[in-house]
Amino acid sequence: VHGEYGEAVGYAASRSEHKRRLAADLCLFCGGEYLQGTEAELAHKDLHRVWTIMGGDPPIPGDANHYQYTAAV
């Protein structure tokens, strides 16, 4: 859909780690309700803290719901 790694197709970045299945964008829910605004930002901040301890990449500024792991590449 968005091309191979290194290929710019549609809105996807040519070197997006999503294409290599090393990244995902997570939507967080609490009690069945989609978290938005400050509540979502705080939840992603906590989750990124754990993600980084587990070896995941640090958060990308301005893209709070993006999680990736590139240490094995």
Side-chain angles (χ1 to χ4, degrees):
V1 171
H2 300 293
E4 296 295 320
Y5 186 77
E7 180 181 30
V9 176
Y11 64 86
S14 65
R15 302 247 183 250
S16 170
E17 296 302 337
H18 290 277
K19 294 179 179 189
R20 299 197 303 179
R21 306 295 191 256
L22 295 173
D25 293 325
L26 301 182
C27 297
L28 302 181
F29 292 80
C30 183
E33 298 291 322
Y34 175 61
L35 299 181
Q36 300 180 63
T38 303
E39 192 174 28
E41 289 176 29
L42 292 174
H44 280 295
K45 185 176 180 178
D46 287 342
L47 187 54
H48 269 293
R49 193 173 302 120
V50 174
W51 178 249
T52 304
I53 290 169
M54 292 171 42
D57 291 2
I60 295 173
D63 197 1
N65 74 331
H66 179 86
Y67 295 80
Q68 71 180 35
Y69 178 78
T70 56
V73 178

CSV table of all heavy atoms in Angstrom, one decimal, residues 19-51:
chain,number,residue,atom,x,y,z
A,19,LYS,N,7.2,0.3,7.4
A,19,LYS,CA,7.4,-0.6,6.2
A,19,LYS,C,8.2,-1.9,6.6
A,19,LYS,O,8.0,-2.9,5.9
A,19,LYS,CB,8.0,0.2,5.1
A,19,LYS,CG,7.2,1.3,4.6
A,19,LYS,CD,7.8,2.0,3.4
A,19,LYS,CE,7.0,3.1,2.9
A,19,LYS,NZ,7.5,3.7,1.7
A,20,ARG,N,9.0,-1.8,7.5
A,20,ARG,CA,9.9,-2.9,7.9
A,20,ARG,C,9.3,-3.6,9.1
A,20,ARG,O,9.9,-4.5,9.7
A,20,ARG,CB,11.3,-2.5,8.2
A,20,ARG,CG,11.9,-1.9,7.0
A,20,ARG,CD,13.4,-1.8,7.0
A,20,ARG,NE,14.0,-1.0,8.1
A,20,ARG,CZ,15.2,-0.9,8.3
A,20,ARG,NH1,16.1,-1.4,7.5
A,20,ARG,NH2,15.7,-0.2,9.3
A,21,ARG,N,8.1,-3.2,9.5
A,21,ARG,CA,7.3,-3.8,10.7
A,21,ARG,C,8.1,-3.6,12.0
A,21,ARG,O,8.0,-4.4,12.9
A,21,ARG,CB,7.0,-5.3,10.5
A,21,ARG,CG,6.3,-5.6,9.2
A,21,ARG,CD,4.9,-5.0,9.2
A,21,ARG,NE,4.1,-5.6,8.1
A,21,ARG,CZ,3.8,-4.9,7.0
A,21,ARG,NH1,4.3,-3.7,6.8
A,21,ARG,NH2,3.1,-5.4,6.1
A,22,LEU,N,8.9,-2.5,12.1
A,22,LEU,CA,9.6,-2.2,13.3
A,22,LEU,C,9.0,-1.0,14.0
A,22,LEU,O,9.5,-0.5,15.0
A,22,LEU,CB,11.1,-1.8,12.9
A,22,LEU,CG,11.9,-3.0,12.4
A,22,LEU,CD1,13.2,-2.5,11.9
A,22,LEU,CD2,12.0,-4.1,13.4
A,23,ALA,N,7.8,-0.5,13.5
A,23,ALA,CA,7.1,0.6,14.2
A,23,ALA,C,5.6,0.4,14.1
A,23,ALA,O,5.1,-0.3,13.2
A,23,ALA,CB,7.5,1.9,13.5
A,24,ALA,N,4.9,1.0,15.1
A,24,ALA,CA,3.5,1.0,15.1
A,24,ALA,C,3.0,2.2,15.8
A,24,ALA,O,3.6,2.8,16.6
A,24,ALA,CB,3.0,-0.2,15.9
A,25,ASP,N,1.8,2.7,15.4
A,25,ASP,CA,1.1,3.8,16.0
A,25,ASP,C,0.0,3.2,16.9
A,25,ASP,O,-0.9,2.5,16.4
A,25,ASP,CB,0.5,4.8,15.0
A,25,ASP,CG,1.6,5.4,14.2
A,25,ASP,OD1,2.7,5.7,14.7
A,25,ASP,OD2,1.4,5.7,13.0
A,26,LEU,N,0.1,3.5,18.2
A,26,LEU,CA,-0.9,2.9,19.1
A,26,LEU,C,-1.9,4.0,19.5
A,26,LEU,O,-1.6,5.1,19.9
A,26,LEU,CB,-0.1,2.5,20.4
A,26,LEU,CG,0.9,1.4,20.2
A,26,LEU,CD1,1.5,1.0,21.5
A,26,LEU,CD2,0.4,0.2,19.5
A,27,CYS,N,-3.2,3.5,19.5
A,27,CYS,CA,-4.3,4.3,20.1
A,27,CYS,C,-4.6,3.7,21.4
A,27,CYS,O,-4.8,2.5,21.6
A,27,CYS,CB,-5.5,4.2,19.1
A,27,CYS,SG,-5.2,4.9,17.5
A,28,LEU,N,-4.6,4.5,22.5
A,28,LEU,CA,-4.9,4.1,23.8
A,28,LEU,C,-6.3,4.3,24.2
A,28,LEU,O,-6.9,5.3,24.0
A,28,LEU,CB,-3.9,4.8,24.8
A,28,LEU,CG,-2.4,4.7,24.5
A,28,LEU,CD1,-1.6,5.4,25.5
A,28,LEU,CD2,-2.0,3.2,24.4
A,29,PHE,N,-6.8,3.3,25.0
A,29,PHE,CA,-8.2,3.3,25.5
A,29,PHE,C,-8.2,3.0,27.0
A,29,PHE,O,-7.3,2.3,27.5
A,29,PHE,CB,-9.0,2.2,24.8
A,29,PHE,CG,-9.3,2.5,23.3
A,29,PHE,CD1,-8.3,2.2,22.4
A,29,PHE,CD2,-10.5,3.1,22.9
A,29,PHE,CE1,-8.5,2.5,21.0
A,29,PHE,CE2,-10.7,3.3,21.6
A,29,PHE,CZ,-9.7,3.0,20.6
A,30,CYS,N,-9.1,3.6,27.7
A,30,CYS,CA,-9.2,3.3,29.1
A,30,CYS,C,-10.7,3.2,29.4
A,30,CYS,O,-11.5,4.1,29.1
A,30,CYS,CB,-8.7,4.5,29.9
A,30,CYS,SG,-8.7,4.2,31.7
A,31,GLY,N,-11.1,2.0,29.9
A,31,GLY,CA,-12.5,1.7,30.1
A,31,GLY,C,-13.4,1.8,28.9
A,31,GLY,O,-14.5,2.2,28.9
A,32,GLY,N,-12.8,1.5,27.7
A,32,GLY,CA,-13.5,1.5,26.5
A,32,GLY,C,-13.6,2.9,25.8
A,32,GLY,O,-14.1,3.0,24.7
A,33,GLU,N,-13.0,3.9,26.5
A,33,GLU,CA,-13.0,5.2,25.9
A,33,GLU,C,-11.6,5.6,25.3
A,33,GLU,O,-10.6,5.3,26.0
A,33,GLU,CB,-13.3,6.3,27.0
A,33,GLU,CG,-14.7,6.1,27.6
A,33,GLU,CD,-15.8,6.4,26.6
A,33,GLU,OE1,-15.6,7.4,25.8
A,33,GLU,OE2,-16.8,5.7,26.6
A,34,TYR,N,-11.6,6.1,24.1
A,34,TYR,CA,-10.4,6.5,23.4
A,34,TYR,C,-9.8,7.7,24.1
A,34,TYR,O,-10.5,8.7,24.4
A,34,TYR,CB,-10.7,6.8,22.0
A,34,TYR,CG,-9.6,7.4,21.2
A,34,TYR,CD1,-8.4,6.7,20.9
A,34,TYR,CD2,-9.7,8.7,20.6
A,34,TYR,CE1,-7.4,7.2,20.2
A,34,TYR,CE2,-8.6,9.2,19.9
A,34,TYR,CZ,-7.5,8.4,19.7
A,34,TYR,OH,-6.5,8.9,18.9
A,35,LEU,N,-8.5,7.6,24.5
A,35,LEU,CA,-7.9,8.7,25.2
A,35,LEU,C,-7.4,9.8,24.2
A,35,LEU,O,-6.9,9.5,23.2
A,35,LEU,CB,-6.7,8.2,26.0
A,35,LEU,CG,-6.9,7.2,27.1
A,35,LEU,CD1,-5.6,6.8,27.7
A,35,LEU,CD2,-7.9,7.7,28.1
A,36,GLN,N,-7.7,11.0,24.6
A,36,GLN,CA,-7.4,12.2,23.7
A,36,GLN,C,-6.8,13.3,24.6
A,36,GLN,O,-6.9,13.3,25.8
A,36,GLN,CB,-8.6,12.7,23.0
A,36,GLN,CG,-9.3,11.7,22.1
A,36,GLN,CD,-10.5,12.3,21.4
A,36,GLN,OE1,-10.4,13.2,20.7
A,36,GLN,NE2,-11.7,11.7,21.7
A,37,GLY,N,-6.2,14.2,23.9
A,37,GLY,CA,-5.7,15.4,24.6
A,37,GLY,C,-4.6,15.1,25.7
A,37,GLY,O,-3.8,14.2,25.5
A,38,THR,N,-4.7,15.9,26.8
A,38,THR,CA,-3.7,15.8,27.8
A,38,THR,C,-3.7,14.4,28.4
A,38,THR,O,-2.6,13.8,28.7
A,38,THR,CB,-4.0,16.8,29.0
A,38,THR,OG1,-4.0,18.1,28.4
A,38,THR,CG2,-2.9,16.7,30.1
A,39,GLU,N,-4.8,13.8,28.6
A,39,GLU,CA,-4.9,12.4,29.1
A,39,GLU,C,-4.1,11.4,28.3
A,39,GLU,O,-3.4,10.6,28.8
A,39,GLU,CB,-6.4,12.0,29.2
A,39,GLU,CG,-6.6,10.7,30.0
A,39,GLU,CD,-8.1,10.4,30.2
A,39,GLU,OE1,-8.9,10.8,29.4
A,39,GLU,OE2,-8.4,9.8,31.2
A,40,ALA,N,-4.3,11.5,26.9
A,40,ALA,CA,-3.5,10.6,26.0
A,40,ALA,C,-2.0,11.0,26.1
A,40,ALA,O,-1.2,10.0,26.1
A,40,ALA,CB,-4.0,10.8,24.6
A,41,GLU,N,-1.7,12.2,26.1
A,41,GLU,CA,-0.2,12.6,26.2
A,41,GLU,C,0.4,12.1,27.4
A,41,GLU,O,1.5,11.5,27.3
A,41,GLU,CB,-0.1,14.1,26.2
A,41,GLU,CG,-0.5,14.8,24.9
A,41,GLU,CD,-0.4,16.3,24.9
A,41,GLU,OE1,0.4,16.8,25.7
A,41,GLU,OE2,-1.2,16.9,24.2
A,42,LEU,N,-0.2,12.1,28.6
A,42,LEU,CA,0.3,11.6,29.8
A,42,LEU,C,0.4,10.1,29.8
A,42,LEU,O,1.4,9.5,30.2
A,42,LEU,CB,-0.5,12.0,31.0
A,42,LEU,CG,-0.5,13.5,31.3
A,42,LEU,CD1,-1.5,13.9,32.4
A,42,LEU,CD2,0.9,14.0,31.7
A,43,ALA,N,-0.6,9.4,29.2
A,43,ALA,CA,-0.5,8.0,29.1
A,43,ALA,C,0.6,7.5,28.2
A,43,ALA,O,1.3,6.6,28.5
A,43,ALA,CB,-1.9,7.4,28.6
A,44,HIS,N,0.8,8.2,27.0
A,44,HIS,CA,1.8,7.8,26.1
A,44,HIS,C,3.2,8.1,26.7
A,44,HIS,O,4.2,7.4,26.5
A,44,HIS,CB,1.7,8.6,24.8
A,44,HIS,CG,0.7,8.0,23.9
A,44,HIS,ND1,0.9,6.7,23.3
A,44,HIS,CD2,-0.5,8.4,23.4
A,44,HIS,CE1,-0.1,6.4,22.5
A,44,HIS,NE2,-1.0,7.5,22.6
A,45,LYS,N,3.3,9.2,27.5
A,45,LYS,CA,4.6,9.5,28.2
A,45,LYS,C,5.0,8.3,29.1
A,45,LYS,O,6.1,7.9,29.1
A,45,LYS,CB,4.4,10.8,29.0
A,45,LYS,CG,5.7,11.3,29.6
A,45,LYS,CD,5.5,12.6,30.3
A,45,LYS,CE,6.8,13.1,30.9
A,45,LYS,NZ,6.7,14.4,31.5
A,46,ASP,N,4.0,7.9,29.9
A,46,ASP,CA,4.3,6.7,30.8
A,46,ASP,C,4.6,5.5,30.0
A,46,ASP,O,5.5,4.7,30.4
A,46,ASP,CB,3.1,6.4,31.7
A,46,ASP,CG,2.9,7.5,32.8
A,46,ASP,OD1,3.8,8.2,33.1
A,46,ASP,OD2,1.7,7.5,33.3
A,47,LEU,N,3.9,5.2,29.0
A,47,LEU,CA,4.1,4.0,28.1
A,47,LEU,C,5.5,4.1,27.5
A,47,LEU,O,6.2,3.1,27.4
A,47,LEU,CB,3.0,3.8,27.1
A,47,LEU,CG,3.0,2.5,26.3
A,47,LEU,CD1,3.1,1.3,27.2
A,47,LEU,CD2,1.8,2.4,25.4
A,48,HIS,N,5.8,5.3,27.0
A,48,HIS,CA,7.2,5.4,26.3
A,48,HIS,C,8.3,5.2,27.3
A,48,HIS,O,9.3,4.7,27.0
A,48,HIS,CB,7.3,6.8,25.7
A,48,HIS,CG,6.9,6.9,24.3
A,48,HIS,ND1,7.6,6.2,23.3
A,48,HIS,CD2,5.8,7.5,23.7
A,48,HIS,CE1,7.0,6.5,22.1
A,48,HIS,NE2,5.9,7.2,22.4
A,49,ARG,N,8.1,5.6,28.6
A,49,ARG,CA,9.1,5.3,29.6
A,49,ARG,C,9.3,3.8,29.8
A,49,ARG,O,10.5,3.4,29.8
A,49,ARG,CB,8.6,5.9,31.0
A,49,ARG,CG,9.7,6.0,32.0
A,49,ARG,CD,9.2,6.8,33.3
A,49,ARG,NE,8.8,8.1,33.0
A,49,ARG,CZ,7.5,8.6,33.2
A,49,ARG,NH1,6.6,7.8,33.8
A,49,ARG,NH2,7.2,9.8,32.9
A,50,VAL,N,8.3,3.1,29.8
A,50,VAL,CA,8.4,1.6,29.9
A,50,VAL,C,9.0,1.0,28.6
A,50,VAL,O,9.9,0.2,28.6
A,50,VAL,CB,7.1,0.9,30.2
A,50,VAL,CG1,7.1,-0.6,30.2
A,50,VAL,CG2,6.5,1.4,31.6
A,51,TRP,N,8.5,1.5,27.5
A,51,TRP,CA,9.0,1.1,26.1
A,51,TRP,C,10.5,1.3,26.0
A,51,TRP,O,11.2,0.4,25.6
A,51,TRP,CB,8.3,1.8,25.0
A,51,TRP,CG,8.7,1.5,23.7
A,51,TRP,CD1,9.4,2.3,22.8
A,51,TRP,CD2,8.5,0.3,23.0
A,51,TRP,NE1,9.6,1.7,21.6
A,51,TRP,CE2,9.0,0.4,21.7
A,51,TRP,CE3,7.9,-0.9,23.3
A,51,TRP,CZ2,9.0,-0.6,20.7
A,51,TRP,CZ3,7.8,-1.9,22.4
A,51,TRP,CH2,8.4,-1.8,21.1
